[in-house]
Amino acid sequence: TGEQARIWHHLFKALARVGNDLFLQVNDKQISMHTLNQAHSAFATVSFPDLFFKDFSVSGKIESCKILLKSMSAVFKFPANVEEFFINFDCDKSDLTITLTCR
């Protein structure tokens, strides 16, 4: 929903103050994200349980990936226009797809 997109917008904005890279870990119960600053002296982490999402499923090999935080911030730059969004994380193909449905 738009409210959840707003939460993600603020999340990526806050994490970008700490580091440049987003480490995304997915398991069958939650999505966890963390970042580390360049000096390795500051660390930020956040987790979203499966109940946070309208639909949550994990299939295939479960791993983690590293994403540039600036890219994620750009996706959710205008959260007020988002009605709903879908995140598809394919570990086997190293593919992360975010689909936004906007007003």
Side-chain angles (χ1 to χ4, degrees):
T1 67
E3 180 63 23
Q4 289 173 327
R6 189 179 68 77
I7 290 169
W8 283 60
H9 165 75
H10 290 296
L11 164 73
F12 294 132
K13 192 174 172 182
L15 290 175
R17 291 181 184 152
V18 176
N20 295 323
D21 296 319
L22 176 70
F23 296 90
L24 179 68
Q25 296 176 311
V26 180
N27 65 40
D28 59 345
K29 302 244 187 254
Q30 68 182 9
I31 292 177
S32 297
M33 295 170 253
H34 67 269
T35 189
L36 181 67
N37 71 349
Q38 286 184 331
H40 293 238
S41 60
F43 178 82
T45 186
V46 66
S47 296
F48 290 98
D50 57 352
L51 296 176
F52 177 80
F53 303 96
K54 182 178 176 181
D55 184 26
F56 184 89
S57 63
V58 177
S59 61
K61 192 170 71 172
I62 301 169
E63 286 188 14
S64 64
C65 68
K66 181 172 85 169
I67 304 164
L68 190 62
L69 255 169
K70 200 178 259 189
S71 300
M72 294 300 285
S73 297
V75 171
F76 291 96
K77 190 169 186 169
F78 301 105
N81 297 333
V82 177
E83 276 188 22
E84 62 183 4
F85 64 95
F86 302 93
I87 300 173
N88 184 25
F89 181 52
D90 188 337
C91 297
D92 296 328
K93 295 180 184 176
S94 296
D95 184 41
L96 175 70
T97 305
I98 299 174
T99 306
L100 302 174
T101 304
C102 300
R103 294 181 197 138

